[in-house]
Amino acid sequence: DRIDLNCDLGESFGIYRIGRDTDVMDWITSANIACGFHAGDPHVMHRTVQLALEKGVAIGAHPGLPDRQWFGRRWMELTPEEVFDLVVYQVGALSAFVRVCGGELQHVKPHGALFNVAAVNGEIARAVAEAVARVDDHLILFGLAGSELVRAGRQVGLRVAEEVFADRQYEPDGTLTPRTRPDAVIHDPDRAVARVIRMIREGKVTAADGSELDIRADTVCVHGDQPEAVAFVRQLRQAFEANRIQVKRVGEL
Amino acid sequence: DRIDLNCDLGESFGIYRIGRDTDVMDWITSANIACGFHAGDPHVMHRTVQLALEKGVAIGAHPGLPDRQWFGRRWMELTPEEVFDLVVYQVGALSAFVRVCGGELQHVKPHGALFNVAAVNGEIARAVAEAVARVDDHLILFGLAGSELVRAGRQVGLRVAEEVFADRQYEPDGTLTPRTRPDAVIHDPDRAVARVIRMIREGKVTAADGSELDIRADTVCVHGDQPEAVAFVRQLRQAFEANRIQVKRVGEL
Amino acid sequence: DRIDLNCDLGESFGIYRIGRDTDVMDWITSANIACGFHAGDPHVMHRTVQLALEKGVAIGAHPGLPDRQWFGRRWMELTPEEVFDLVVYQVGALSAFVRVCGGELQHVKPHGALFNVAAVNGEIARAVAEAVARVDDHLILFGLAGSELVRAGRQVGLRVAEEVFADRQYEPDGTLTPRTRPDAVIHDPDRAVARVIRMIREGKVTAADGSELDIRADTVCVHGDQPEAVAFVRQLRQAFEANRIQVKRVGEL
Amino acid sequence: DRIDLNCDLGESFGIYRIGRDTDVMDWITSANIACGFHAGDPHVMHRTVQLALEKGVAIGAHPGLPDRQWFGRRWMELTPEEVFDLVVYQVGALSAFVRVCGGELQHVKPHGALFNVAAVNGEIARAVAEAVARVDDHLILFGLAGSELVRAGRQVGLRVAEEVFADRQYEPDGTLTPRTRPDAVIHDPDRAVARVIRMIREGKVTAADGSELDIRADTVCVHGDQPEAVAFVRQLRQAFEANRIQVKRVGEL
């Protein structure tokens, strides 16, 4: 058994700093780096790519909507063509920093509203997948496990990584329980760890209604914005080791 | 004798349209395409790259300052590191569209205040040149003939194209006469054409004070924003043909 | 019988120019001036306010979403609190130019996606209305005739102006037929003029399904972006005069 | 003897939080609130105005350059007309929140590069002063003690507040020693406190070359971004009380 640990990073902007990038980089295997639309800027991108290379963390582009004000979390009724162009642009920009730093781009994971809509809307999913494939068909596409995005990635011939969430409740159809619901987030770290290990080992998770859901876990999404979040990543990693689950970047065969 | 004709294109943004891109593309050999900072956006970049490929015009990235309000024409006291990152980002973004459309990026020409400062400030020139070289050392760097940027490009091992202006007066030191001076612009098209031909043939131009200036002309900057500008490009091109000056993209050996 | 003619103006930005503001100002009575979020900028706002005062056209703020890329036409899932703050900000900014130029602000009309959502969503309508009322309760709120926005305006004690569209088809429930439908726009100017005159005189309009709809027309929305649009405004105005319908700004009792 | 204590506040933006606004509000008398150009946004402005009113702190607009990337700290070669329009816009936007919250705007203090350029460039100073005066001639203009901005404010008939810095070294001509110089900042809090008290009591400060400089201190600029900064403000305030220097908002006669 093996798993990848991914985290959104490089979300600082100008004088504004967020995220404990340096700390969390010690525990993850894949970094999703913001590309200057919803977060990040050219300087932050450069610094974050360098940091990932120093720490041996695989680099991914994390394209989002052109909306710093609300951090790319509000859907803007984009057409598939607009999504295609937004993704091409941002993946290209991040790629250039990776090249300049002597690394290699491993994956692309859309951010926020783009991630959520691409999970359920086939046309938007297809636009994201095609943008990635046409920029570089060796890139790996990260998407919600079982989602339209994962399906679209396979259709265009990309290698995909199905992503699971340790601290989120699932609906019987495989979507995440909306954050507006009281049971959306799993606050108990031990329970969260146990759920992820079961997803990896058995390919199963118990949904919000108690039913069993088939799920494939190639990568687990973790957070690096708070000290407790970093502590949880460490706990997760140690639990994986204790359970003989190898933690490796998705791109490593 | 041979020359390249370059023009700034892809400067539209959202619902705002400027430039007669389609018309001027018929007469030029190199397009400098805005990269979404001072002008352009992902959709405009995609469309303009496609148009250039259809018309057989070589593609260049035209990175500028992050300032749509004043179109990248105001210098912002950037450090060399900041300039480096801005250029890497924008060249990367445009490159991705070129790859998606099946073309090849030929050159990079900085825009507006970045072009002007890189012409005279060795550190900024060096930052631009290194950014280009580290993204892709096969790219050609466009800079004002005889400028610091051209020098820096050669120092980092890039192929450079020295750019001349048909309709601008020169100072004895090779800089352009500032637009605030009444004699800055040459309004007579025939005189402008004759000056360019002499630059190409003899490597000379008469400066504002009447002195003769050595100048090397690899590429001529033309404009495509007004109907008269497009007419002038056609006149220039026809004069080159009449004078057996080959009009070829710089990248074509 | 009397009517107001309103038009969106001041939509230029930086070097980008759109709209025949000077031409259309000769025929309208109320100008909705963009406030620098979806369009316009401080300089354009200043110039447009001055122009309106010179032409004797009443001034309104035209606040929109913070989205220049898509011109404020995409809804962004804002909360009522966010809408409230966006409207207060933009009305305040425009008010300052009106004060500086010695004029008076007459009205507020939300733009694009904000206008459309405020027409049907009571909470968003209420947020817009309260923002306007709390900045200045003498302002007149413009909204789609019969809409939630008009209702919300009255509820918070504002004077409202119900707006009709000369060139748009209506649904039986008073909403505009979506532009995606082939019959959404009325292309025949004479028919458009006749419809508006009937709305003013009889308070009736024939909806898309042939049924008769009660409608109140305090102000007609016209466009100033194309030469034909300006010609239509002139035609409309002349038709009003021929039919003894007084054309007066809404704020004039 | 009396003094005002002012601090830049409301500099958060979207999900990005900076500044210990709530803490520092307990010790200051005037808040300079960012207006959404270099920092701040409509929501942050609303919240910060409310906070200031709750804490009894006088409210000022803190307009800056349209540059979030570098926080309005880079001069952009603006014309006086452009500066005028930028200031009118931002003061208007903040005023609207003050009105909505039932408060009154006390003052305007330009931010960053605009503050620095307005201190030495008479034309820019005049543009700032006129913008303020024409929006509302009861506003108080804050400027560097002895600067062009203070002079311009008086010329246009505004009440001005001359601002001093506790922790900065002065040049013999009254300008601040540039931060690039090793002696630019006074790190010893006790020495900083003593200097300010002398400025208030005697109207004198010892410049970097040891010479004595006449200086008028109406208000002291303090910071609220770090815990130590807030501690220094408290120390300063306590020292004023111990020295029978009244701490009052400038607008309070």
Side-chain angles (χ1 to χ4, degrees):
Chain A
D1 291 333
R2 48 174 297 173
I3 194 72
D4 174 66
L5 283 177
N6 81 76
C7 184
D8 299 351
L9 294 169
E11 295 181 334
S12 294
F13 165 57
I15 65 154
Y16 299 106
R17 300 268 161 268
I18 50 170
R20 306 181 160 257
D21 291 16
T22 310
D23 296 345
V24 83
M25 283 266 198
D26 287 332
W27 307 101
I28 61 171
T29 43
S30 293
N32 318 309
I33 301 179
C35 300
F37 273 46
H38 69 282
D41 65 30
H43 178 61
V44 170
M45 289 161 74
H46 192 166
R47 193 177 65 206
T48 311
V49 165
Q50 275 181 320
L51 186 65
L53 288 172
E54 284 163 25
K55 300 260 186 174
V57 171
I59 296 166
H62 194 44
L65 301 185
D67 161 33
R68 284 195 193 282
Q69 177 69 69
W70 292 295
F71 203 59
R73 286 176 175 157
R74 313 291 175 93
W75 181 241
M76 293 174 82
E77 304 174 20
L78 302 188
T79 66
E81 291 70 29
E82 289 163 350
V83 165
F84 180 92
D85 291 338
L86 285 179
V87 172
V88 168
Y89 185 100
Q90 294 179 66
V91 174
L94 191 79
S95 294
F97 288 105
V98 178
R99 218 172 312 140
V100 157
C101 295
E104 215 171 315
L105 191 65
Q106 173 194 255
H107 70 281
V108 176
K109 171 180 165 179
H111 169 85
L114 188 55
F115 181 88
N116 294 335
V117 172
V120 295
N121 177 325
E123 286 203 320
I124 296 300
R126 180 87 187 194
V128 172
E130 280 184 345
V132 173
R134 287 181 57 190
V135 171
D136 180 352
D137 59 12
H138 292 90
L139 292 168
I140 301 169
L141 181 61
F142 280 38
L144 183 68
S147 69
E148 290 291 332
L149 184 56
V150 159
R151 191 165 313 145
R154 292 207 178 95
Q155 273 171 0
V156 303
L158 286 173
R159 190 170 156 202
V160 299
E162 303 207 30
E163 182 181 46
V164 299
F165 291 79
D167 62 345
R168 293 292 298 276
Q169 188 59 270
Y170 283 87
E171 294 299 292
D173 66 355
T175 59
L176 298 173
T177 298
R179 283 183 182 276
T180 44
R181 284 243 307 269
D183 59 341
V185 176
I186 291 160
H187 296 286
D188 174 5
D190 296 332
R191 191 175 150 222
V193 167
R195 278 167 69 90
V196 173
I197 289 175
R198 186 165 172 244
M199 291 189 226
I200 299 167
R201 285 255 169 93
E202 306 175 25
K204 297 271 182 199
V205 67
T206 306
D209 67 350
S211 64
E212 290 300 301
L213 177 68
D214 288 328
I215 196 161
R216 175 173 161 180
D218 297 318
T219 185
V220 181
C221 181
V222 296
H223 306 291
D225 46 342
Q226 303 294 338
E228 318 83 66
V230 178
F232 177 71
V233 182
R234 204 176 46 219
Q235 179 184 346
L236 199 57
R237 182 131 192 183
Q238 288 162 347
F240 289 153
E241 277 158 29
N243 283 273
R244 307 233 174 132
I245 295 167
Q246 280 197 306
V247 180
K248 287 204 176 226
R249 52 168 74 179
V250 163
E252 219 174 319
L253 281 181
Chain B
D1 293 332
R2 50 174 293 172
I3 193 74
D4 173 67
L5 284 176
N6 81 75
C7 184
D8 299 352
L9 294 169
E11 296 180 333
S12 294
F13 165 57
I15 64 154
Y16 299 106
R17 298 270 162 266
I18 52 168
R20 304 178 163 258
D21 290 17
T22 310
D23 295 345
V24 83
M25 284 266 196
D26 287 332
W27 306 102
I28 62 171
T29 42
S30 293
N32 317 311
I33 301 179
C35 300
F37 273 47
H38 70 283
D41 64 30
H43 177 63
V44 170
M45 289 162 74
H46 193 168
R47 193 177 64 205
T48 311
V49 166
Q50 274 181 318
L51 186 64
L53 288 171
E54 283 162 25
K55 301 259 188 177
V57 171
I59 296 167
H62 195 45
L65 301 184
D67 161 32
R68 284 194 194 282
Q69 177 69 70
W70 293 296
F71 201 62
R73 286 177 174 153
R74 313 291 176 90
W75 182 239
M76 292 176 83
E77 303 173 21
L78 303 187
T79 66
E81 290 69 30
E82 290 163 349
V83 165
F84 180 92
D85 290 338
L86 285 179
V87 172
V88 168
Y89 184 100
Q90 294 179 68
V91 174
L94 192 77
S95 294
F97 288 105
V98 177
R99 218 172 313 139
V100 157
C101 295
E104 216 172 314
L105 190 65
Q106 174 195 251
H107 70 281
V108 177
K109 173 181 164 178
H111 169 85
L114 187 55
F115 181 88
N116 294 335
V117 172
V120 296
N121 178 324
E123 285 202 320
I124 296 300
R126 181 88 187 191
V128 172
E130 280 184 346
V132 173
R134 286 181 57 191
V135 172
D136 180 353
D137 60 11
H138 291 90
L139 292 169
I140 302 170
L141 180 61
F142 280 37
L144 183 69
S147 69
E148 288 292 332
L149 183 57
V150 159
R151 192 166 310 144
R154 291 207 178 93
Q155 275 172 0
V156 302
L158 286 174
R159 190 169 156 203
V160 298
E162 303 207 30
E163 181 182 46
V164 298
F165 290 79
D167 63 344
R168 293 292 299 273
Q169 188 59 269
Y170 283 87
E171 293 300 291
D173 66 356
T175 58
L176 297 174
T177 299
R179 283 184 182 275
T180 45
R181 285 244 305 272
D183 59 340
V185 175
I186 291 161
H187 295 286
D188 175 5
D190 295 334
R191 193 175 148 222
V193 168
R195 278 168 69 91
V196 174
I197 290 176
R198 189 169 169 239
M199 292 189 223
I200 299 168
R201 285 253 169 91
E202 304 176 26
K204 298 273 183 199
V205 68
T206 306
D209 69 348
S211 65
E212 290 299 300
L213 178 68
D214 288 328
I215 196 161
R216 175 171 160 181
D218 296 319
T219 184
V220 182
C221 181
V222 295
H223 307 290
D225 47 342
Q226 302 295 339
E228 317 82 65
V230 178
F232 177 72
V233 182
R234 203 175 47 216
Q235 178 184 348
L236 199 57
R237 181 129 192 186
Q238 287 162 348
F240 289 154
E241 277 159 29
N243 282 274
R244 308 228 174 136
I245 295 167
Q246 281 195 304
V247 181
K248 287 199 177 230
R249 51 167 75 179
V250 161
E252 218 174 320
L253 281 177
Chain C
D1 291 333
R2 49 176 294 171
I3 194 75
D4 175 64
L5 283 177
N6 81 75
C7 184
D8 298 352
L9 294 169
E11 295 181 333
S12 294
F13 165 57
I15 65 154
Y16 299 106
R17 297 270 161 266
I18 50 169
R20 306 180 160 257
D21 290 17
T22 310
D23 295 347
V24 82
M25 284 264 197
D26 287 332
W27 306 103
I28 61 171
T29 42
S30 292
N32 317 311
I33 300 178
C35 301
F37 274 46
H38 69 282
D41 65 30
H43 178 60
V44 170
M45 289 162 74
H46 193 166
R47 194 178 62 206
T48 310
V49 165
Q50 275 180 320
L51 186 64
L53 288 172
E54 283 161 27
K55 300 261 187 174
V57 171
I59 296 167
H62 194 45
L65 301 185
D67 162 32
R68 284 194 192 282
Q69 177 69 69
W70 293 295
F71 202 61
R73 287 176 175 156
R74 313 290 176 94
W75 182 239
M76 295 176 79
E77 303 172 22
L78 303 187
T79 66
E81 290 70 28
E82 289 163 349
V83 165
F84 181 91
D85 290 338
L86 285 179
V87 171
V88 168
Y89 185 101
Q90 295 179 66
V91 173
L94 191 78
S95 293
F97 287 105
V98 177
R99 218 171 314 137
V100 157
C101 294
E104 215 171 316
L105 191 65
Q106 175 195 253
H107 70 281
V108 176
K109 172 181 164 178
H111 169 85
L114 188 55
F115 182 88
N116 294 333
V117 172
V120 296
N121 178 323
E123 284 202 322
I124 297 299
R126 182 86 186 193
V128 172
E130 280 183 347
V132 172
R134 285 180 57 191
V135 172
D136 180 353
D137 60 11
H138 291 89
L139 291 169
I140 301 169
L141 180 62
F142 280 38
L144 182 69
S147 69
E148 289 291 333
L149 184 56
V150 159
R151 192 165 312 144
R154 290 206 179 96
Q155 273 171 359
V156 303
L158 285 174
R159 191 171 154 198
V160 298
E162 302 207 30
E163 182 182 44
V164 299
F165 290 79
D167 62 345
R168 293 294 298 276
Q169 188 58 270
Y170 282 87
E171 294 300 292
D173 67 354
T175 60
L176 296 174
T177 299
R179 282 183 182 276
T180 45
R181 283 245 307 272
D183 60 339
V185 175
I186 291 162
H187 295 286
D188 174 5
D190 294 334
R191 192 176 148 221
V193 167
R195 279 167 70 90
V196 174
I197 289 177
R198 188 166 171 242
M199 292 189 225
I200 300 168
R201 284 255 170 92
E202 305 176 24
K204 297 273 183 198
V205 68
T206 307
D209 67 349
S211 65
E212 291 299 302
L213 177 69
D214 288 327
I215 196 162
R216 175 171 160 180
D218 296 319
T219 183
V220 181
C221 181
V222 295
H223 307 291
D225 47 343
Q226 303 294 338
E228 318 80 67
V230 178
F232 177 72
V233 183
R234 204 176 47 218
Q235 179 186 346
L236 200 57
R237 181 129 192 185
Q238 287 162 348
F240 289 153
E241 277 159 28
N243 283 274
R244 307 233 173 132
I245 295 167
Q246 280 196 307
V247 181
K248 286 199 180 231
R249 52 168 75 178
V250 162
E252 217 174 319
L253 282 179
Chain D
D1 292 332
R2 48 175 295 173
I3 194 72
D4 174 66
L5 283 177
N6 80 76
C7 185
D8 299 351
L9 294 169
E11 295 180 334
S12 294
F13 165 57
I15 64 153
Y16 299 107
R17 297 269 161 268
I18 50 170
R20 306 179 161 258
D21 291 17
T22 310
D23 295 346
V24 83
M25 283 266 197
D26 286 332
W27 306 101
I28 62 171
T29 41
S30 293
N32 317 311
I33 301 178
C35 300
F37 273 46
H38 70 283
D41 64 31
H43 178 61
V44 171
M45 289 161 75
H46 192 166
R47 193 178 62 205
T48 311
V49 165
Q50 274 180 320
L51 186 64
L53 288 171
E54 283 162 25
K55 299 262 189 172
V57 171
I59 296 167
H62 195 43
L65 300 185
D67 161 32
R68 284 195 193 280
Q69 177 69 70
W70 292 297
F71 202 61
R73 286 176 174 156
R74 313 291 175 91
W75 181 238
M76 295 176 80
E77 304 172 21
L78 303 187
T79 66
E81 290 71 28
E82 289 163 350
V83 165
F84 181 92
D85 290 338
L86 285 179
V87 172
V88 168
Y89 184 101
Q90 294 178 68
V91 174
L94 191 78
S95 295
F97 288 105
V98 178
R99 219 172 313 139
V100 157
C101 294
E104 215 172 316
L105 190 65
Q106 175 194 252
H107 69 281
V108 177
K109 174 182 164 178
H111 169 84
L114 187 56
F115 181 88
N116 294 334
V117 172
V120 296
N121 178 323
E123 284 202 321
I124 296 300
R126 181 86 186 193
V128 172
E130 280 184 346
V132 173
R134 287 181 56 191
V135 171
D136 180 352
D137 60 10
H138 291 89
L139 292 168
I140 301 170
L141 181 61
F142 279 39
L144 183 68
S147 69
E148 289 292 332
L149 184 56
V150 158
R151 192 165 311 143
R154 291 206 178 95
Q155 274 171 0
V156 304
L158 286 174
R159 189 169 157 200
V160 298
E162 304 208 29
E163 182 181 46
V164 300
F165 291 79
D167 62 345
R168 293 293 299 276
Q169 188 58 270
Y170 283 87
E171 294 300 290
D173 66 355
T175 59
L176 297 174
T177 299
R179 282 184 183 274
T180 46
R181 285 244 308 269
D183 59 340
V185 175
I186 292 161
H187 296 286
D188 175 4
D190 295 334
R191 193 176 148 221
V193 167
R195 279 167 69 89
V196 173
I197 290 175
R198 187 167 171 244
M199 291 190 225
I200 298 167
R201 284 256 170 90
E202 305 176 25
K204 298 272 184 199
V205 68
T206 307
D209 68 348
S211 66
E212 290 298 302
L213 177 69
D214 288 327
I215 196 162
R216 176 173 160 179
D218 296 319
T219 183
V220 181
C221 181
V222 296
H223 307 290
D225 46 343
Q226 303 295 338
E228 317 82 67
V230 178
F232 177 71
V233 182
R234 204 175 46 218
Q235 179 184 348
L236 199 58
R237 181 129 192 185
Q238 288 162 347
F240 289 154
E241 277 159 29
N243 282 274
R244 308 233 173 130
I245 295 168
Q246 281 195 305
V247 181
K248 287 201 177 228
R249 52 170 73 178
V250 163
E252 219 173 318
L253 280 179

